[in-house]
Amino acid sequence: MSDWVYVRDIAASEGQVVTVKGWLYNRTDKGKLQFLLVRDGSGLIQAVVSEKDIGPEIFAEVQRLTQESAVEVTGIVHADRRAPGGFELQVQDVHVVQFVQDYPITPKEHGVEFLMARRHLWIRSSRQHAILRIRAEITRAVRAWLDGHGFLNMDTPILTPSSCEDSTTLFQTDYFGEPAYLTQSGQLYNEATIGAFGRVYCFGPTFRAEKSKTRRHLTEFWMVEPEMAYVDLDGCMEVEEQFVSYIVQSVLANRADDLKVLERDTSRLEKVVPPFPRISYDDAVKLLNDKGLDFKWGDDFGAPHETVIGESFDRPVFVHHYPTAIKAFYMEEDPQRPEVCLSVDLLASEGYGEIIGGGQRTASYELLEQRIKHHHLTREAYEWYLDLRRYGSVPHSGFGLGIERTVAWLCQIQHIRETIPFPRMLERIYP
Amino acid sequence: MSDWVYVRDIAASEGQVVTVKGWLYNRTDKGKLQFLLVRDGSGLIQAVVSEKDIGPEIFAEVQRLTQESAVEVTGIVHADRRAPGGFELQVQDVHVVQFVQDYPITPKEHGVEFLMARRHLWIRSSRQHAILRIRAEITRAVRAWLDGHGFLNMDTPILTPSSCEDSTTLFQTDYFGEPAYLTQSGQLYNEATIGAFGRVYCFGPTFRAEKSKTRRHLTEFWMVEPEMAYVDLDGCMEVEEQFVSYIVQSVLANRADDLKVLERDTSRLEKVVPPFPRISYDDAVKLLNDKGLDFKWGDDFGAPHETVIGESFDRPVFVHHYPTAIKAFYMEEDPQRPEVCLSVDLLASEGYGEIIGGGQRTASYELLEQRIKHHHLTREAYEWYLDLRRYGSVPHSGFGLGIERTVAWLCQIQHIRETIPFPRMLERIYP
């Protein structure tokens, strides 16, 4: 029995006989030679099968091998500069685990609806595979940076009795006779856990029952939300630019192969290092007007506005001090100018729009109480949140990074449906 | 302006003037000397305030400081063997951010319902703080081990059109006119992603609308579920014992202080190293009968049975080959003896019961089709899952580790409600 190795680790077995276990990605028939391209999830390797090495019986099986058939291939590892990955297998034995007939996704073009209905298979295709590997690296980098900078992971609840932001887009469920809602953000709970841990983050799924069918919206998406006690708006921006730069540079360093599969131009990503430019909402409005866009102070930016602002800089740009009226009830007002608040959004470069929303939260009990009234929120549901201002209230800030938008940006893809293994959208909950 | 440092990092500032920003945990009044115990989320430090150092005005403020008041304390860092943590601050300045009145949780005894209704504050108490820090370390260790062993994190959906296990305990929501359910497991989706990535894991919240009110049940809990292509039952157990041992040893190494707060006897945890004992369900039944318990072959273990089996070994014990009839529809049958299946549960030591369920999944299309019929599952909902057996089906295994049960075991606590920041139970969805 030879050792089972993953293609990722094959270099360590040069000159040895090993077994690769995977699926047939492609086969090239050269008569007495068969070239198998085998994928095992960790990489692709070419396996060269010669009839004289393995005998006519197994060779006949190899000649019948179809796309996605499950195979165990045993052979000697040879370095070969021309081979994808730099190594190939000179095959000594092939064990067919399953012959596959009529695999539905072929190298020809398929429509998106066809592929989405077969998402459980589509993820095996090289582009989707690369995107989801980059997603996993983003998740790893997010946690590595936060864990390494004193943030404790505190899981916040999914089922909540009240809403954090937009109550018109809540998924509801029956919680033993009472209504409960799927969370849209863990932030309010983060504001409690910083009272115990100083710096925290939650990282989990969030939900929006949004009836819009756009290339930027999912009903279920993942968000990481760091929160920090004793940190103000400026401190928040400093953390954000370090954090985002680390994520981008980690993907460049650890997923170069996958970026190549996607034909991603990485020169723009290499520029994503601190400091990021910072402009006020006021200046962003001027910028839009100067570029000839009709935009009034007090309105919220739409995707086209975000694109124009983002494209005006060579790296992600902070826009801070939005009008208080268009931001959430918990935002801290600018003490000098209460019509704007200490909020900050981060707009990605290359037109990918907002990837972070955040800022400084209201520390004052009185102000928060007014806001809850003003926004017609149920006082009882927020009683515990008011407690946080009664018992040791401090200046504090935090932000939420959308994972899927970050994946879309770094992979330079147009539609967010490819950024998550099983997207949930207005008309899509299968598979 | 002196530098802001976290208590965790204070050793590096010995002899320097620094500022700690946090909350008053305790104050001891010795007349012209006040001893403040300040917590900042990363640790506790004693700050010694002398009237002659800071003047009568600030000293008077310090004398009024109450529990949980928010304070910034500036002083020189002195090594002091007697001090908690080994360092103390000789205070030069105190800035009171907020005076707190009537903090509801005092050193006196409070009832559990009182504390649960104030969970957002209770987590600041030393025991809860220690438990949740250990939880965060378990999460970190889980991901570090999996990321380091070739497992890719693939987020599986929370909103699903069909149920994986018990359809009587599903939370339901209206998904734009269709019913959707909150996931009970990401496993079926993991079985799809292994086809693309070989080794994967999902790690997120799962839900059970269970009407039971026990110390072992939450309605919302976190689970990590690794899945591996080309791995059989034995291979699965090998991975599990390496994985669990790493988690336990990481907590021992990195959370010694917190285990001390909990007065956890760590000698039993130190023994948690591979290999773990492995017994068949048949032998477990014999063991129970030998110990005088009335238990019939074919029944499922309850908590008392798991306790007796677990307590018979000095480390976690695998119980494998359960009766097919009491396990989920996707379990692979033993080919020699189809009345038992290739399942395995891991029972924790010290009576903490099942922390992992898993095993080898059915690879055969025909058998899976029969099972779906036999269990009266909706064929259409599982069509994609059947596809996984049509297109490159291979032997595969996986398992799910419950985070809250692991926290309870490692912290040696009786009730699972303390293992998660904001527990969700039959009668508890606030705060």
Side-chain angles (χ1 to χ4, degrees):
Chain A
M1 279 287 289
S2 62
D3 278 347
W4 172 22
V5 298
Y6 281 95
V7 172
R8 167 190 61 235
D9 305 322
I10 206 96
S13 301
E14 198 186 334
Q16 293 167 38
V17 176
V18 301
T19 299
V20 168
K21 302 182 181 187
W23 297 268
L24 189 76
Y25 200 62
N26 201 5
R27 177 169 60 84
T28 307
D29 187 338
K30 298 273 185 189
K32 298 292 177 193
L33 277 182
Q34 299 285 321
F35 294 90
L36 309 181
L37 205 52
V38 178
R39 59 169 195 84
D40 72 349
S42 80
L44 269 177
I45 191 162
Q46 180 165 276
V48 185
V49 190
S50 161
E51 185 172 4
K52 69 172 167 30
D53 291 341
I54 62 166
E57 205 169 317
I58 299 176
F59 194 76
E61 284 205 352
V62 169
Q63 285 180 306
R64 287 171 50 219
L65 274 181
T66 50
Q67 191 191 347
E68 288 306 308
S69 289
V71 283
E72 299 180 1
V73 179
T74 301
I76 301 178
V77 179
H78 287 307
D80 186 330
R81 272 186 312 140
R82 297 158 307 171
F87 292 89
E88 65 173 30
L89 282 182
Q90 186 64 41
V91 176
Q92 298 179 344
D93 195 16
V94 173
H95 169 58
V96 180
V97 179
Q98 188 190 41
F99 277 107
V100 166
Q101 287 182 337
D102 305 321
Y103 185 68
I105 302 176
T106 59
K108 73 162 193 180
E109 282 276 314
H110 296 285
V112 165
E113 282 309 308
F114 179 92
L115 293 168
M116 288 292 283
R118 287 157 190 84
R119 183 68 179 165
H120 52 292
L121 305 174
W122 189 24
I123 55 177
R124 303 180 187 180
S125 302
S126 61
R127 252 187 83 78
Q128 301 307 313
H129 188 260
I131 293 166
L132 294 178
R133 276 173 52 85
I134 288 169
R135 178 189 172 96
E137 173 62 13
I138 290 169
T139 295
R140 194 205 59 75
V142 159
R143 290 182 173 269
W145 194 89
L146 293 170
D147 291 344
H149 287 79
F151 290 80
L152 272 182
N153 184 194
M154 285 295 134
D155 297 317
T156 50
I158 307 301
L159 292 168
T160 55
S162 61
S163 73
C164 176
E165 294 193 33
D166 183 355
S167 59
T168 63
T169 57
L170 287 169
F171 285 109
Q172 187 177 330
T173 191
D174 170 36
Y175 195 81
F176 309 111
E178 298 286 323
Y181 305 95
L182 301 191
T183 185
Q184 299 194 325
S185 164
Q187 180 206 313
L188 303 194
Y189 292 97
N190 284 339
E191 290 182 69
T193 54
I194 55 167
F197 303 99
R199 291 181 163 214
V200 302
Y201 68 99
C202 64
F203 190 175
T206 51
F207 303 86
R208 297 262 160 106
E210 208 139 8
K211 280 209 169 152
S212 48
K213 209 180 154 182
T214 83
R215 62 185 179 82
R216 278 179 148 178
H217 286 95
L218 295 170
T219 57
E220 177 182 325
F221 54 99
W222 285 64
M223 192 150 65
V224 56
E225 297 177 88
E227 190 80 21
M228 301 158 282
Y230 286 105
V231 168
D232 63 9
L233 177 62
D234 279 338
C236 189
M237 287 192 268
E238 277 163 38
V239 166
E240 288 184 36
E241 67 192 4
Q242 297 290 339
F243 178 59
V244 169
S245 300
Y246 178 83
I247 295 166
V248 174
Q249 298 309 319
S250 293
V251 168
L252 286 174
N254 302 327
R255 288 293 187 264
D257 289 355
D258 296 308
L259 291 167
K260 205 172 281 172
V261 168
L262 300 173
E263 297 173 332
R264 176 57 158 121
D265 172 9
T266 55
S267 63
R268 291 290 299 271
L269 297 181
E270 282 154 19
K271 292 190 186 128
V272 181
V273 288
F276 296 169
R278 302 174 182 202
I279 63 169
S280 67
Y281 172 89
D282 294 353
D283 287 340
V285 172
K286 267 189 219 120
L287 185 154
L288 290 173
N289 291 340
D290 288 351
K291 300 229 171 188
L293 278 86
D294 186 24
F295 186 89
K296 271 206 289 296
W297 197 100
D299 286 347
D300 206 353
F301 300 130
H305 309 117
E306 288 180 1
T307 300
V308 169
I309 299 166
E311 272 302 297
S312 304
F313 300 90
D314 73 341
R315 63 193 76 187
V317 54
F318 288 116
V319 181
H320 53 79
H321 284 88
Y322 283 74
T324 307
I326 61 169
K327 286 291 177 187
F329 74 96
Y330 48 70
M331 283 295 176
E332 187 72 290
E333 288 176 4
D334 185 331
Q336 261 73 59
R337 206 185 143 201
E339 72 274 18
V340 296
C341 62
L342 304 183
S343 67
V344 60
D345 286 356
L346 183 67
L347 309 183
S349 40
E350 300 172 82
Y352 277 87
E354 184 198 327
I355 50 167
I356 289 184
Q360 193 171 334
R361 328 303 191 176
T362 299
S364 150
Y365 179 86
E366 289 71 26
L367 190 57
L368 187 63
E369 201 179 29
Q370 276 173 34
R371 291 289 193 77
I372 286 171
K373 251 183 223 154
H374 179 77
H375 285 255
H376 306 294
L377 301 171
T378 323
R379 164 84 190 214
E380 299 77 53
Y382 291 93
E383 206 53 58
W384 69 268
Y385 188 60
L386 283 162
D387 268 359
L388 307 177
R389 276 70 183 177
R390 284 189 188 100
Y391 304 119
S393 188
V394 301
H396 63 287
S397 300
F399 60 94
L401 172 81
I403 296 301
E404 287 74 19
R405 290 187 177 183
T406 306
V407 176
W409 169 40
L410 299 189
C411 294
Q412 207 169 21
I413 51 185
Q414 289 309 307
H415 202 300
I416 205 154
R417 66 184 161 222
E418 299 182 24
T419 61
I420 187 166
F422 297 94
R424 295 298 182 240
M425 298 178 297
L426 181 55
E427 285 162 8
R428 168 68 56 199
I429 194 178
Y430 176 96
Chain B
M1 279 287 289
S2 62
D3 279 347
W4 173 23
V5 299
Y6 281 95
V7 172
R8 166 189 62 236
D9 305 322
I10 206 95
S13 300
E14 196 185 336
Q16 293 168 38
V17 176
V18 301
T19 299
V20 167
K21 303 183 179 184
W23 298 268
L24 189 75
Y25 200 62
N26 201 3
R27 178 168 60 85
T28 307
D29 187 338
K30 300 270 186 191
K32 298 291 178 192
L33 278 181
Q34 300 284 320
F35 294 90
L36 309 181
L37 205 51
V38 177
R39 59 171 194 84
D40 72 350
S42 80
L44 270 177
I45 192 162
Q46 180 165 276
V48 184
V49 190
S50 160
E51 186 173 4
K52 69 173 169 24
D53 291 342
I54 61 166
E57 204 169 319
I58 299 177
F59 194 77
E61 284 204 352
V62 169
Q63 284 179 306
R64 287 172 49 221
L65 274 180
T66 49
Q67 191 191 347
E68 289 305 311
S69 289
V71 282
E72 299 180 2
V73 179
T74 301
I76 302 179
V77 180
H78 287 306
D80 186 329
R81 272 186 311 140
R82 295 159 309 171
F87 292 90
E88 65 173 30
L89 282 183
Q90 186 64 43
V91 176
Q92 300 181 343
D93 195 15
V94 173
H95 170 58
V96 180
V97 180
Q98 189 190 39
F99 277 107
V100 165
Q101 287 182 337
D102 305 322
Y103 184 68
I105 302 176
T106 58
K108 72 163 193 179
E109 282 276 315
H110 296 285
V112 165
E113 282 310 309
F114 179 91
L115 293 168
M116 288 292 283
R118 287 157 190 83
R119 184 67 179 165
H120 52 292
L121 306 174
W122 189 24
I123 55 178
R124 302 181 187 180
S125 302
S126 62
R127 253 186 83 78
Q128 301 306 313
H129 188 259
I131 293 166
L132 294 177
R133 276 173 52 87
I134 288 169
R135 178 189 172 97
E137 172 62 15
I138 290 169
T139 295
R140 194 206 59 75
V142 159
R143 291 183 172 268
W145 194 88
L146 293 170
D147 291 344
H149 287 79
F151 291 80
L152 273 181
N153 185 195
M154 286 294 134
D155 297 316
T156 50
I158 307 300
L159 293 168
T160 56
S162 61
S163 72
C164 176
E165 295 193 31
D166 183 355
S167 59
T168 62
T169 56
L170 287 169
F171 285 110
Q172 187 177 328
T173 191
D174 169 36
Y175 196 80
F176 309 111
E178 298 287 321
Y181 305 95
L182 301 192
T183 185
Q184 300 195 323
S185 164
Q187 180 207 314
L188 303 193
Y189 291 97
N190 284 340
E191 291 183 68
T193 54
I194 56 166
F197 303 99
R199 290 180 166 216
V200 303
Y201 67 99
C202 65
F203 191 175
T206 51
F207 303 86
R208 297 261 161 105
E210 208 140 8
K211 280 208 169 152
S212 48
K213 211 179 152 182
T214 84
R215 62 185 178 79
R216 278 178 149 178
H217 285 95
L218 295 170
T219 58
E220 177 182 325
F221 54 99
W222 285 65
M223 192 151 64
V224 56
E225 297 178 88
E227 190 80 21
M228 301 159 281
Y230 286 106
V231 168
D232 63 10
L233 177 63
D234 280 338
C236 190
M237 288 193 268
E238 278 163 36
V239 167
E240 288 183 36
E241 66 193 4
Q242 297 289 338
F243 178 59
V244 170
S245 299
Y246 178 82
I247 295 166
V248 174
Q249 298 309 319
S250 294
V251 168
L252 287 174
N254 303 325
R255 288 292 187 265
D257 288 354
D258 296 308
L259 292 167
K260 205 172 283 172
V261 168
L262 300 173
E263 298 174 332
R264 176 58 159 122
D265 171 10
T266 55
S267 63
R268 290 291 298 271
L269 298 180
E270 281 155 20
K271 292 191 186 127
V272 180
V273 289
F276 295 170
R278 303 175 181 202
I279 64 169
S280 67
Y281 172 88
D282 294 353
D283 287 339
V285 173
K286 266 189 219 121
L287 185 153
L288 289 174
N289 292 339
D290 288 351
K291 300 229 171 186
L293 278 87
D294 186 24
F295 186 89
K296 270 206 288 297
W297 196 99
D299 286 347
D300 207 353
F301 301 130
H305 310 116
E306 288 180 2
T307 300
V308 169
I309 299 166
E311 272 301 299
S312 305
F313 300 90
D314 72 340
R315 62 193 78 187
V317 53
F318 288 117
V319 181
H320 52 78
H321 285 88
Y322 282 74
T324 307
I326 60 169
K327 285 292 178 186
F329 75 96
Y330 47 71
M331 282 295 175
E332 188 74 290
E333 287 174 5
D334 184 331
Q336 261 74 58
R337 206 185 142 200
E339 73 273 18
V340 296
C341 63
L342 305 183
S343 66
V344 61
D345 286 356
L346 183 68
L347 310 184
S349 40
E350 300 173 80
Y352 277 87
E354 184 197 327
I355 52 168
I356 288 184
Q360 192 171 334
R361 328 302 191 178
T362 300
S364 150
Y365 178 86
E366 288 71 25
L367 190 57
L368 186 64
E369 201 179 28
Q370 277 174 33
R371 292 288 193 77
I372 286 171
K373 249 183 226 153
H374 178 76
H375 284 255
H376 306 293
L377 301 172
T378 323
R379 164 82 190 214
E380 299 77 54
Y382 291 92
E383 207 54 58
W384 69 268
Y385 187 60
L386 283 161
D387 268 359
L388 306 177
R389 276 69 184 177
R390 283 189 188 99
Y391 304 119
S393 188
V394 301
H396 63 287
S397 301
F399 60 93
L401 172 81
I403 297 302
E404 287 74 19
R405 288 186 178 185
T406 306
V407 176
W409 169 40
L410 299 190
C411 294
Q412 207 169 17
I413 51 185
Q414 288 309 308
H415 202 301
I416 204 153
R417 66 184 161 222
E418 298 182 25
T419 62
I420 188 166
F422 298 94
R424 295 300 182 237
M425 297 178 296
L426 180 55
E427 284 162 10
R428 168 67 56 200
I429 194 177
Y430 177 94

